[in-house]
Amino acid sequence: MSNSSTSDLLKPFKLKTKQQELLIRVSILCLVYILAFITRLFSVLRYESMIHEFDPYFNYRTTLYLTQHGFYDFWNWFDYESWYPLGRIVGGTLYPGLMVTAALIYRLLHFLRFAVHIREVCVLTAPFFASNTTLVAYFFGKEIWDSGAGLVAAILIAVCPGYISRSVAGSYDNEGVAIFALLFTFYLFVKAVNKGSLAWGLASAFGYFYMVSAWGGYVFIINLIPLYVLVLLITGRYSMRLYVAYNCMYILGMLLAMQIRFVGFQHVQSGEHMAAMGVFFLMQVFYFLDWVKHMLSDTKLFQEFLSITVTCAVAAGGIALGVGAASGYISPWTGRFYSLLDPTYAKDHIPIIASVSEHQPTAWSSFMFDFHILLFLFPAGLYFCFKRLSDATIFIVMYGLTSMYFAGVMVRLILVATPAVCLISAIAVSATVKNLTVLLRSKNKVAQIGSTKGTSSAKASSKASLDQSQPFQKNGAMALLFGAFYLLSRYATHCTWVTSEAYSSPSIVLAARGAHGNRVIFDDYREAYFWLRQNTPPDAKVMSWWDYGYQITAMGNRTVIVDNNTWNNTHIATVGRAMSSYEDEAYEIIRSLDVDYVLVVFGGVTGYSSDDINKFLWMVRIGGGVFPVIKEPDYLVNGEYRVDKGAAPKMLNCLMYKLSYYRFGEMMPEYGKPPGYDRARGVEIGNKDIKLEHLEEAFTTSNWIVRIYKVKPPNNRW
Amino acid sequence: MGKLWLICIASISILLPFLCNAFSPETPTDRRVLVLLDDFAIMSSHSLYFNALKSRGFDLEFKLADDPKIALQRYGQYLYDALILFCPSVERFGGSIDVAAIVNFVDSGHDLIVAADVNASDLIREVGTECGVDFDEDPSAMVIDHIGYAVSGTEGDHTLIASDDFIKSDVILGGKKIEAPILFRGIGHAVSPANSLVLKVLSASPSAYSANPKSKLSTPPPLTGSAISLVSIVQARNNARLLITGSLSMFSNRFFRSGVQKARSQTKHEKSGNEQFLTEISKWIFHERGHLKAVNVKHHRVGETDEPALYRINDELEYAVEIYEWSGTSWEPYVANDVQLQFYMMSPYVLKTLSSDKKGLYSTSFKVPDVYGVFQFKVEHQKLGYTSLSLSKQIPVRPYRHNEYERFIPAAYPYYGAAFSMMAGFFIFSFAHLYSK
C-alpha cells in the first residue's frame, strides 16, 4: 500500500496508511470548511456587505448597542424608540446569544488589531457559524456511524440549500448560530450517552445553554431529548450511561437556561418544558426500581413492588401536573407551540402567526428545492440506521423524523430538519459507496474476501451475492457508483444554483430583470429610510405595518409604533384598525398614538407583490380580531379581494388604499395600459381620484415602493 | 436647550415657525395693523375707534380694499401683525390679497377683525365662513328685534338693536362691567355648529330674527332668537384671535357717542356701551389681555435638581412650571387654582392640580406609576378667554435595572438555607462515602 516507488529523499516524509487517511480527511475538512463559508458570499458579491431582511436589522441594532454601551446596559436596555408609547425591555425580551457572539468576535478582532466595523462582523457571523457546523456534522457523523459518513455529512451540510437559506452572509439572524448550537448540543449529548461520562454531559449542558441563549428553538431540544430518553426506556435500552448523561444535561442545562432573562422561570413553569421534567422524575423512579431489583432477590415481590411504585409515581406526577396547571403555576402551552403540533391551529386562532409567510405549511416543491437528492437519500439512510441500531442511530432517527414533521408544518422549520436530513443521507451515501467500493476492490483479491473485514450485515450479504455472479456484479457496482457520483454532482450544482439565485437576495434591495435582460436594482427601502433619518425630527413617530418596524428603527433611527417583535397584539391591531378605517376615523387613532408620519409600501409601479395592499387582509383580520368594528367581509366582494372598480366601497376608501394609490391614477406605469394600472395585481385601480384630508404626501421613493405621508396638525380654525 | 424649546412651545403651541413672525413670545401684543376700508370716509366717521387704538400704541395703516398695491407679506415676511377689514362691500381685494391669503395670515398666528354689514359682499361672507360663522344668506337681511330695539328718532325702526347679552368672561370684556347696552345695526350670523372654537360674545335677544325689513315676511326667518350672534370671536388653535361682526356701524363715532334707551326700559344711558365694549374686546383681540406663557418647565427627582433623561418606575418626582399672563405692558404672574398636570401615556396615569405660589410658579410632586413606557408631562390649560396652554414633554419611564432589586429578601432565607445546607450535606456525604471504608 505504501509508496514504494518514491525516492530516498522523500523517505522521511513517507506516510503510513493511517497518516495518509488522516491527511486526506483533514484536508477535505479544511476544504469543506472554506467551501461552506465562500458559498454563502454570493449575496455580498451580488449586492454589497449589508444586513438582510427584517429581524436581522433588530439584531444588528442591538449588537451595535452592545458594542457601544457594554453588556450591562444592553442587559438592562429599555428601548423607548419602538412600540411607542409602550416601549420594549429589549434586554429581557431577546435571546442575547447572537449579539454576544458577534460582539465577542468583534472584540477579538479588535484585540488582534483588525479594525473591522461591527457590521462586517454581523454580516459574516452566519457563514462563519455555518463553517463550524460542518465540523460538528463531521464529528456527529463519526459518532453515529463512521468517519466516512462524517465527512459526507460535512460536505452535504456545507452546501445544503435548506441551511443556506438562513445563513448567507448578511442574514444576521438567531438561526445562523442556533443551528450550530443545536447540532453541537445533540452531538455532545449523543457522545455523553455513548460514553456515559459526566464531562460530556456537562459539555452538552453548556451547549444547551448556548442554544437557549441564541434561539427560541431550544424548546425542540428540551422536548426531543426527553422523548429520546423515553424511547430508550421503553425499548429496554436504559443504561447507566443514559442516566448520567440525561440527568447531568437536564439539571445543569436547566439551571443555566434560567439565567437567560427571556426564559427565566418559564423553564420550570411552562407547559413546553414539562416533558423534560417528567422524564427526569421517571429516570429517578427507574433508577430506584433498578436498585430495588438489584437488592431484592425475590422476583415476585419485586413485581408487586414495581406495580405499586409505578402506579404511585404516575399518580403523583399526574396530580402534580393537574394541580400546577389548575393553579396557574404551570402555564399552558403557547399558541406557537400549539400551531406546531396542529398546523391548522394558527389559522383559526392567531392570525398574527398565520400572517407570516415563513409560518405557512411547507409546499412539497420547497422540500425538493431545499433538499434535492437528500429527500431520496433520507429514507435510505433511515434503512441503514435501522440496520445497525444503536443508541446514537436511534437518536438521529428520532431527530430526523420529528424535525421532518415540523418542517412539514412550517416552512422555516426546514432549517431544523436540515442537519438531520444531511446526517442520515450521509449515512446512506457513505454506506452505499463503501459497500460498492468494497465490492470493486475485493474483486481483484477474491482470496481476501472471506478472511478479513465484514462486520455489517450489508457487507455480508453483498459478499454472499458476490460469490454467485462476480463479473456482472462488478459492472453493476461500477454503474451504481457512477450513478451515485452523478447524483452527488447534480446536488452540488443544484445547491450552488439555488444559493446564487434564490437565497442570496437581501430583500431590502430588490433586483429585477429589465426589458433588455439587464439587472435593475430597486433600492427604495434604503432611500426611504435615509430620507426619514435626514428629514424628520429626531423624535418623530412613524406608523407602518409591523413588518417594517425593525428596519425603520435601525436604518431610519425613528420611533415606531409596532415592529416585528409582535409581543402586543392589541397594539398591532390598533395599527391594523387605523389602516383599514376611513381617513377621518384613522386620523383620530393616529392622533391618539402621536403619529407624525405614516409609511406604506406599494408595489403597483414596479410589480413588487409583497406590498401592503397584498398584506392588507391580514391587517383587517388582525385589527378585526381585537376591534370587531372592522369586519373582513366589508373589504371583499363575494369573498374576492380586489382593488379595481368592482372593489368594495370600504376597500376603495380605507386609509391603506388611499395612501397606496394616492396620485397613482395620474400615472401610467406600463406602456399600452390605462393610467392607474397596478402592475402588482394586474388591474386598473378603482379609485383614481383620491383626496387626502388629514395627511399629506411627504416623500415617495423613485420607484414608488415606499411612500411616506405626514400627519397634518388639526385644523387651526375649526 | 430644552428650556428654550419649552418656552417656545409654552407660549405658542405647535406652529412655531409660522408664529415667530406674528409676535415675539416676549411681547405678544400686536403692533402693526393694516386697516382695509371701502372708502376713506370711514377713517373720519369711525375715528374714535381708530384713535383709541392709536392711543394704545398701534401703528395703523389705512388702505382702500381694492388698492392694487396692498400686500400682506413681502419676501415671505408678514408686514402686519393684525388686519382689520372694514370693507363689507368689497368684491375683490386689490393686490395679492384674497381669501386664501387672509386665511394663511390667520393660520400664521395673526389677528383679524371683520366687520360685515347689510349687503355684505360674497368675499366677506367667505371670510366669515372660513372663520366658522355663517352670515344670513339673504343679502339685505338685517337683525330685527321688536322687543329689544333701541329707542330712536324714527318710530317703527326696529333694526337698531340694543343688546346686552354678553359672554360672561372678564378676560374678554375687561373687569369693568359694561352698563349700557350695545347698539347694533346690521346683518346677523350664526356660529357654525361644526366649529368648536367660535364663541358668541354678543348674542341677540330671544325675540330677534333676521329678515329683510323692507319686505313682507313670507317664510319663517332662517335665523331667530339667541341663535343669532351679533359679535363672535374665534381663538384659533395657534392662538390667533378673530372678531367677526355683522355691523360696521357699531364701530362708528355716531354709535359710540349716542345715548341709548332700550325699549320698555326706563333707564336711559347717556352713552352707549359700544366704545367700552369694542375697546375692551380689541384689547383681547390684539393680545393685550388673556395671553399666557409658560416658562421654566422643570422636573426632577425629589432631592435632585438636574433633569434626568428618563425616570424609573416608582421614582418620586417634582414638576414645576411658571405661568405668566401678559398685561399689555409686562408679564404678570398668572393666578389660578385649576392648572392640572397629566402624566400621560395613551391615558393619564396621574392627574394632579398644580399648586400655585401666587407668583406664577406652579408645582407638584408625585410618584411615577408602576408602569414603564414613554410618558408625557402634559399641561392642557384651556380656559375661556385665555390662550390655550398645551405643554407636553416626552419622558420615558424605564423598569428596574437588574441590580436595583433587593438582593437579600427576608422571605427567601429558608431557600438560601436550604441551598447551602444541601451543599454542605452533599460534601459531607461524598466525603463519608468515599473515605469511610
Side-chain angles (χ1 to χ4, degrees):
Chain A
M1 289 292 256
S2 61
N3 304 342
S4 53
S5 59
T6 45
S7 68
D8 292 348
L9 272 172
L10 285 172
K11 267 238 163 90
F13 300 105
K14 225 159 74 174
L15 299 168
K16 293 195 190 83
T17 318
K18 273 262 159 121
Q19 290 171 315
Q20 269 182 334
E21 201 221 331
L22 187 72
L23 181 70
I24 292 170
R25 216 190 308 162
V26 168
S27 33
I28 289 177
L29 273 180
C30 285
L31 287 173
V32 168
Y33 193 85
I34 295 164
L35 172 73
F37 191 83
I38 58 174
T39 193
R40 285 165 169 81
L41 296 185
F42 271 114
S43 57
V44 175
L45 298 177
R46 289 278 159 78
Y47 299 90
E48 59 177 303
S49 170
M50 64 165 148
I51 309 287
H52 291 191
E53 297 194 323
F54 304 105
D55 287 18
Y57 272 95
F58 170 75
N59 300 332
Y60 172 58
R61 179 166 163 253
T62 45
T63 313
L64 203 63
Y65 191 91
L66 173 60
T67 51
Q68 285 168 351
H69 296 86
F71 184 73
Y72 280 111
D73 276 350
F74 170 72
W75 193 248
N76 290 304
W77 185 15
F78 174 66
D79 177 21
Y80 48 85
E81 288 198 345
S82 52
W83 290 94
Y84 180 87
L86 308 170
R88 175 183 175 190
I89 309 174
V90 171
T93 56
L94 52 58
Y95 293 102
L98 177 70
M99 298 90 193
V100 172
T101 307
L104 282 178
I105 296 173
Y106 174 75
R107 286 274 158 78
L108 179 75
L109 288 173
H110 273 250
F111 177 74
L112 298 173
R113 299 295 180 268
F114 289 107
V116 292
H117 190 270
I118 181 68
R119 194 189 68 235
E120 314 297 339
V121 177
C122 292
V123 165
L124 296 178
T125 298
F128 173 64
F129 271 87
S131 291
N132 295 338
T133 309
T134 61
L135 288 189
V136 177
Y138 165 72
F139 286 111
F140 203 176
K142 197 176 159 193
E143 189 64 32
I144 52 178
W145 200 259
D146 57 19
S147 61
L151 275 182
V152 178
I155 296 165
L156 290 182
I157 204 166
V159 292
C160 184
Y163 184 29
I164 284 181
S165 67
R166 292 316 202 89
S167 63
V168 292
S171 169
Y172 180 55
D173 212 345
N174 290 333
E175 289 92 326
V177 298
I179 291 306
F180 165 78
L182 179 89
L183 203 59
F184 197 49
T185 311
F186 284 154
Y187 163 65
L188 291 171
F189 183 72
V190 168
K191 190 93 180 167
V193 171
N194 279 351
K195 288 251 192 283
S197 94
L198 264 178
W200 286 106
L202 182 69
S204 73
F206 274 101
Y208 177 64
F209 172 59
Y210 186 58
M211 177 68 190
V212 175
S213 79
W215 195 35
Y218 76 87
V219 177
F220 180 60
I221 298 185
I222 205 62
N223 282 296
L224 178 64
I225 287 182
L227 190 67
Y228 165 66
V229 171
L230 202 64
V231 167
L232 286 194
L233 290 186
I234 289 167
T235 52
R237 282 176 168 268
Y238 169 80
S239 63
M240 205 57 202
R241 295 176 283 116
L242 186 69
Y243 183 82
V244 168
Y246 182 71
N247 287 345
C248 179
M249 189 268 166
Y250 176 66
I251 292 297
L252 288 172
M254 176 178 71
L255 289 175
L256 288 167
M258 286 168 75
Q259 308 309 309
I260 303 297
R261 272 180 85 190
F262 197 23
V263 177
F265 278 95
Q266 270 185 54
H267 208 287
V268 285
Q269 288 189 353
S270 91
E272 290 98 328
H273 301 84
M274 281 302 124
M277 191 182 272
V279 168
F280 171 72
F281 286 122
L282 199 66
M283 288 287 273
Q284 312 315 314
V285 173
F286 236 83
Y287 183 76
F288 177 68
L289 287 176
D290 223 35
W291 180 72
V292 170
K293 192 180 183 182
H294 178 70
M295 299 302 267
L296 232 61
S297 46
D298 190 352
T299 34
K300 208 169 183 188
L301 211 59
F302 175 72
Q303 285 299 334
E304 237 163 68
F305 181 78
L306 180 73
S307 60
I308 292 170
T309 325
V310 166
T311 320
C312 286
V314 168
I319 288 169
L321 204 65
V323 168
S327 65
Y329 187 76
I330 300 171
S331 66
W333 287 351
T334 59
R336 276 167 202 271
F337 199 73
Y338 267 121
S339 62
L340 269 183
L341 300 179
D342 174 12
T344 56
Y345 182 82
K347 211 165 210 171
D348 300 336
H349 297 89
I350 329 164
I352 202 146
I353 291 181
S355 76
V356 181
S357 63
E358 62 185 21
H359 290 166
Q360 304 300 324
T362 317
W364 172 238
S365 58
S366 55
F367 274 116
M368 196 59 210
F369 199 65
D370 280 353
F371 290 141
H372 200 238
I373 59 158
L374 303 188
L375 218 49
F376 306 110
L377 294 174
F378 181 68
L382 287 181
Y383 165 78
F384 282 108
C385 286
F386 278 113
K387 270 275 179 58
R388 207 176 92 183
L389 221 49
S390 68
D391 288 355
T393 49
I394 289 179
F395 182 84
I396 196 70
V397 165
M398 289 191 57
Y399 174 27
L401 292 178
T402 49
S403 63
M404 271 309 247
Y405 172 72
F406 292 132
V409 173
M410 262 191 206
V411 177
R412 68 190 292 209
L413 293 181
I414 282 193
L415 180 72
V416 175
T418 304
V421 171
C422 286
L423 278 164
I424 293 174
S425 307
I427 290 170
V429 172
S430 169
T432 314
V433 170
K434 201 169 199 173
N435 287 349
L436 291 175
T437 43
V438 162
L439 220 61
L440 281 179
R441 290 173 62 174
S442 57
K443 194 87 198 81
N444 303 331
K445 314 165 200 166
V446 188
Q448 270 193 336
I449 292 167
S451 59
T452 51
K453 28 185 159 165
T455 42
S456 74
S457 50
K459 270 180 203 165
S461 65
S462 72
K463 210 165 37 173
S465 60
L466 185 77
D467 291 330
Q468 291 161 10
S469 54
Q470 277 182 356
F472 190 69
Q473 200 75 7
K474 183 197 168 188
N475 293 338
M478 203 70 147
L480 280 176
L481 208 53
F482 273 114
F485 282 121
Y486 174 74
L487 275 181
L488 287 172
S489 69
R490 293 306 304 162
Y491 173 73
T493 325
H494 171 82
C495 291
T496 317
W497 175 78
V498 167
T499 310
S500 93
E501 291 298 316
Y503 288 146
S504 292
S505 157
S507 93
I508 187 127
V509 175
L510 310 165
R513 296 267 172 226
H516 308 291
N518 52 327
R519 264 167 84 84
V520 187
I521 296 281
F522 301 127
D523 204 357
D524 286 41
Y525 280 107
R526 293 197 293 177
E527 186 187 347
Y529 299 142
F530 190 69
W531 184 88
L532 275 179
R533 198 184 189 102
Q534 296 291 321
N535 295 286
T536 59
D539 62 345
K541 284 108 199 161
V542 183
M543 184 174 93
S544 70
W545 191 234
W546 59 265
D547 297 21
Y548 317 107
Y550 278 162
Q551 294 179 345
I552 294 170
T553 33
M555 278 188 278
N557 197 19
R558 291 295 174 268
T559 307
V560 294
I561 307 297
V562 291
D563 66 28
N564 310 45
N565 176 257
T566 51
W567 65 275
N568 187 328
N569 191 34
T570 313
H571 217 49
I572 291 181
T574 309
V575 173
R577 184 186 175 185
M579 292 296 191
S580 37
S581 302
Y582 293 124
E583 192 186 352
D584 46 349
E585 292 161 7
Y587 184 64
E588 278 171 30
I589 300 169
I590 286 172
R591 293 284 304 168
S592 72
L593 290 171
D594 297 326
V595 172
D596 299 303
Y597 292 90
V598 180
L599 182 147
V600 295
V601 170
F602 173 60
V605 176
T606 48
Y608 171 55
S609 62
S610 52
D611 65 351
D612 278 348
I613 288 286
N614 279 357
K615 290 174 186 170
F616 181 63
L617 273 191
W618 288 112
M619 300 182 205
V620 172
R621 272 172 212 153
I622 292 167
V626 178
F627 305 103
V629 285
I630 304 291
K631 293 183 197 72
E632 193 180 336
D634 292 351
Y635 300 86
L636 303 174
V637 178
N638 302 328
E640 198 185 345
Y641 179 66
R642 49 201 293 187
V643 297
D644 58 353
K645 276 204 173 57
K650 182 131 199 204
M651 177 72 206
L652 291 176
N653 289 295
C654 67
L655 186 70
M656 176 51 77
Y657 192 93
K658 279 179 136 184
L659 296 187
S660 288
Y661 291 120
Y662 181 63
R663 291 202 301 114
F664 185 62
E666 309 156 12
M667 198 201 190
M668 218 162 139
E670 198 167 325
Y671 178 75
K673 291 281 177 358
Y677 178 77
D678 185 332
R679 293 180 69 189
R681 282 151 288 271
V683 290
E684 186 184 348
I685 60 168
N687 184 358
K688 290 190 188 174
D689 183 32
I690 292 169
K691 298 253 183 323
L692 290 173
E693 194 185 339
H694 301 293
L695 292 106
E696 59 188 356
E697 189 178 3
F699 183 67
T700 294
T701 55
S702 42
N703 296 302
W704 287 48
I705 288 179
V706 185
R707 311 195 70 184
I708 301 169
Y709 292 84
K710 188 177 177 7
V711 179
K712 286 194 212 166
N715 193 315
N716 191 29
R717 284 162 285 110
W718 288 80
Chain B
M1 194 61 206
K3 199 186 279 179
L4 183 72
W5 180 73
L6 278 169
I7 291 168
C8 297
I9 278 279
S11 42
I12 48 185
S13 98
I14 311 157
L15 289 167
L16 176 73
F18 305 103
L19 295 176
C20 282
N21 302 327
F23 37 71
S24 75
E26 286 309 309
T27 53
T29 304
D30 297 340
R31 285 285 153 247
R32 299 159 299 165
V33 183
L34 175 67
V35 186
L36 294 182
L37 307 168
D38 273 341
D39 182 347
F40 279 127
I42 295 172
M43 272 176 76
S44 53
S45 64
H46 292 60
S47 60
L48 280 178
Y49 184 68
F50 293 135
N51 289 339
L53 290 181
K54 277 181 190 160
S55 68
R56 299 212 310 270
F58 291 101
D59 182 9
L60 302 187
E61 196 174 327
F62 296 94
K63 288 276 170 67
L64 281 180
D66 51 4
D67 184 343
K69 292 211 185 69
I70 53 172
L72 286 176
Q73 55 177 336
R74 185 183 293 152
Y75 308 130
Q77 295 284 317
Y78 279 104
L79 300 167
Y80 308 99
D81 301 321
L83 177 64
I84 298 177
L85 294 179
F86 277 1
C87 46
S89 60
V90 67
E91 290 295 341
R92 210 189 144 92
F93 290 113
S96 59
I97 301 182
D98 54 10
V99 175
I102 290 171
V103 165
N104 282 336
F105 183 70
V106 171
D107 288 348
S108 315
H110 301 89
D111 306 319
L112 175 69
I113 294 177
V114 184
D117 217 328
V118 184
N119 297 318
S121 68
D122 288 346
L123 187 64
I124 293 298
R125 286 166 184 276
E126 210 178 314
V127 173
T129 313
E130 285 292 337
C131 301
V133 305
D134 299 315
F135 287 107
D136 193 332
E137 280 175 23
D138 182 357
S140 51
M142 293 179 89
V143 184
I144 302 168
D145 193 340
H146 295 305
I147 293 168
Y149 61 91
V151 177
S152 67
T154 8
E155 186 53 42
D157 176 16
H158 292 170
T159 59
L160 181 64
I161 292 167
S163 175
D164 50 6
D165 193 0
F166 303 114
I167 193 171
K168 286 174 192 60
S169 167
D170 286 355
V171 189
I172 297 172
L173 296 178
K176 201 167 150 236
K177 191 172 184 299
I178 301 168
E179 299 290 344
I182 308 298
L183 288 172
F184 180 94
R185 174 182 280 149
I187 189 166
H189 62 258
V191 301
S192 165
N195 192 326
S196 56
L197 298 172
V198 65
L199 296 169
K200 286 186 284 192
V201 181
L202 184 66
S203 334
S205 75
S207 56
Y209 65 96
S210 175
N212 186 349
K214 301 218 169 61
S215 63
K216 233 180 107 186
L217 202 58
S218 53
T219 50
L223 293 175
T224 54
S226 43
I228 301 176
S229 174
L230 304 177
V231 180
S232 299
I233 54 165
V234 179
Q235 179 170 278
R237 292 187 203 277
N238 61 358
N239 292 334
R241 287 171 174 174
L242 289 78
L243 175 86
I244 304 118
T245 174
S247 168
L248 178 58
S249 49
M250 72 185 295
F251 294 89
S252 70
N253 296 356
R254 200 163 68 80
F255 277 30
F256 271 32
R257 287 199 188 113
S258 78
V260 60
Q261 186 187 0
K262 212 173 172 181
R264 291 178 191 77
S265 164
Q266 296 309 313
T267 43
K268 184 167 166 40
H269 297 273
E270 278 304 305
K271 207 164 162 274
S272 71
N274 285 36
E275 181 165 15
Q276 191 193 350
F277 173 69
L278 290 171
T279 310
E280 289 300 326
I281 208 164
S282 74
K283 285 183 183 168
W284 184 82
I285 292 287
F286 292 148
H287 292 272
E288 286 171 73
R289 204 168 39 219
H291 193 99
L292 300 179
K293 76 165 179 182
V295 292
N296 288 337
V297 177
K298 280 182 195 151
H299 58 89
H300 52 79
R301 291 195 185 93
V302 172
E304 292 175 21
T305 50
D306 290 341
E307 183 177 303
L310 75 175
Y311 287 102
R312 195 192 67 193
I313 53 172
N314 298 331
D315 266 350
E316 294 283 346
L317 66 85
E318 284 173 349
Y319 179 90
V321 59
E322 289 172 34
I323 304 179
Y324 295 102
E325 184 183 358
W326 179 247
S327 69
T329 47
S330 62
W331 289 103
E332 303 292 337
Y334 173 66
V335 181
N337 56 5
D338 53 1
V339 183
Q340 289 185 321
L341 170 74
Q342 301 173 37
F343 199 56
Y344 182 93
M345 182 176 77
M346 295 173 92
S347 62
Y349 278 71
V350 174
L351 180 63
K352 291 203 93 174
T353 305
L354 294 168
S355 55
S356 164
D357 69 345
K358 309 284 179 203
K359 287 176 193 152
L361 179 71
Y362 289 81
S363 60
T364 189
S365 65
F366 60 92
K367 189 178 181 185
V368 175
D370 194 8
V371 178
Y372 59 82
V374 183
F375 281 83
Q376 285 171 324
F377 288 114
K378 264 195 177 185
V379 175
E380 294 278 351
H381 189 58
Q382 282 164 354
K383 210 170 170 186
L384 179 65
Y386 288 100
T387 51
S388 56
L389 272 187
S390 85
L391 310 176
S392 70
K393 171 93 169 73
Q394 184 174 311
I395 186 88
V397 172
R398 66 168 172 84
Y400 287 116
R401 287 173 66 91
H402 72 284
N403 54 3
E404 281 173 341
Y405 293 97
E406 214 175 336
R407 185 143 288 185
F408 296 103
I409 313 164
Y413 274 99
Y415 297 95
Y416 302 146
F420 283 103
S421 66
M422 176 80 184
M423 283 187 230
F426 181 72
F427 184 76
I428 292 165
F429 172 79
S430 313
F431 194 83
H433 185 71
L434 288 173
Y435 298 106
S436 64
K437 292 264 161 73

